[in-house]
Amino acid sequence: MPAGTRSSASKDISRIKSRRPLQSEIRDTILREFILSGRLHPGDKMPSENELCEIFGASRVTIRTAMQGLKDAGYIRIVRGSGSWVLPRPEAISSGLDRLVSFDTFASNSGHPIDTGDVEIVHLARGDDESCEVFDGADGFTRVSRTKLIDGRVIAWIVDYVPDDVLGTDEIRRSFKGSVLDVLLAHHSAAYSDCTLTPVIPDRAMADRFGGAQTALLQLSELTRADSGRIVNRSEAWLTPDAFTFQLRRRRDN
């Protein structure tokens, strides 16, 4: 294959890989247009599979997979042979750990308006913060810290570290709207992440960020990587357990 053709094919494959599955797009659109918008209320019946196939121009299998995703997230109840009904909105922000999506997006999809406060974006040199030691070869970094709030109550404290050669501090300041991950995704810099979720008792300084309560928190430690496997972001988040519900689907070995 000629070099130019290989290059063109590689770019096409990259674009295809970056697209979300159709069933995910349809699932999120159904959630947004029928449930989060208030168009349907708890107890209301969802459109039938045939109606949704006609609306989205999609196959029955695709619609069924999208609806199963809404069922798994707790938004609808499916009765085989009868249809689907809207369930009461979950109180906590629901998050599937297998999706590389920001807390802001999860909150929006859960119908919980989330605010960002105490934002601090600073530039660091090598050696300024030991959290930057996971990066190889980078001399400068951006640290972004902030709280997340619902109805004025702090539900999360998040700190991210991004090397300069991934995104510069000025670009992060221009693009940041509450989520570093959203900035990285918009710049096609993030492909996947490795996470560890641990219950912790906060020290006094951390407890003060949450109003002084000494209750246990969930600490989510995350290394986000590019397609090459290179680390492009280190994130540490401390979360109040009552505000977040995490799910992970387990499948049998084949």
Side-chain angles (χ1 to χ4, degrees):
M1 182 183 293
T5 304
R6 285 198 302 269
S7 175
S8 176
S10 176
K11 291 179 181 178
D12 289 342
I13 291 171
S14 177
R15 283 197 293 269
I16 291 170
K17 287 172 64 179
S18 69
R19 289 181 55 188
R20 297 181 63 208
L22 178 60
Q23 58 265 30
S24 296
E25 297 283 359
I26 291 176
R27 177 201 61 212
D28 291 350
T29 302
I30 293 173
L31 175 62
R32 183 175 62 252
E33 297 297 329
F34 288 95
I35 299 176
L36 299 183
S37 67
R39 181 174 174 182
L40 295 179
H41 299 91
D44 288 346
K45 190 173 184 180
M46 294 289 294
S48 68
E49 282 187 1
N50 287 338
E51 290 172 323
L52 292 172
C53 287
E54 184 175 345
I55 290 171
F56 292 101
S59 70
R60 184 181 294 271
V61 171
T62 299
I63 293 299
R64 191 166 293 163
T65 302
M67 295 295 281
Q68 184 64 42
L70 292 175
K71 176 180 179 293
D72 291 343
Y75 288 104
I76 63 174
R77 175 172 62 94
I78 298 176
V79 179
R80 191 171 299 280
S82 298
S84 306
W85 282 263
V86 179
L87 291 174
R89 191 76 50 80
E91 291 299 320
I93 295 173
S94 181
S95 167
L97 285 177
D98 58 338
R99 295 178 61 200
L100 188 60
V101 179
S102 69
F103 289 123
D104 298 65
T105 299
F106 280 126
S108 176
N109 289 346
S110 297
H112 297 283
I114 191 169
D115 297 315
T116 303
D118 299 321
V119 178
E120 183 179 55
I121 302 176
V122 298
H123 186 263
L124 304 173
R126 177 177 291 278
D128 286 349
D129 192 315
E130 63 181 15
S131 295
C132 299
E133 293 176 1
V134 298
F135 302 105
D136 292 327
D139 292 324
F141 313 86
T142 302
R143 182 179 63 204
V144 182
S145 59
R146 68 278 192 197
T147 56
K148 291 294 180 181
L149 307 93
I150 291 181
D151 296 329
R153 179 173 73 95
V154 175
I155 61 165
W157 168 252
I158 306 173
V159 184
D160 287 271
Y161 301 86
V162 180
D164 285 351
D165 52 355
V166 174
L167 281 177
T169 303
D170 289 342
E171 179 58 33
I172 292 175
R173 286 195 177 111
R174 283 193 296 269
S175 304
F176 182 75
K177 299 293 188 298
S179 166
V180 171
L181 177 58
D182 283 344
V183 176
L184 292 169
L185 290 171
H187 284 78
H188 307 289
S189 299
Y192 64 97
S193 70
D194 299 311
C195 304
T196 301
L197 190 63
T198 309
V200 296
I201 300 297
D203 59 20
R204 172 53 61 186
M206 182 61 67
D208 286 345
R209 298 186 186 279
F210 291 83
Q214 286 282 344
T215 56
L217 300 172
L218 295 175
Q219 182 174 354
L220 181 64
S221 301
E222 186 169 16
L223 296 178
T224 302
R225 301 176 184 266
D227 283 313
S228 65
R230 180 198 175 195
I231 299 172
V232 297
N233 180 30
R234 174 176 181 170
S235 179
E236 297 287 346
W238 291 265
L239 319 167
T240 57
D242 63 324
F244 293 89
T245 299
F246 294 100
Q247 306 101 17
L248 183 64
R249 177 172 293 178
R250 301 175 67 196
R251 295 178 174 85
R252 68 183 183 186
D253 289 334
N254 293 325

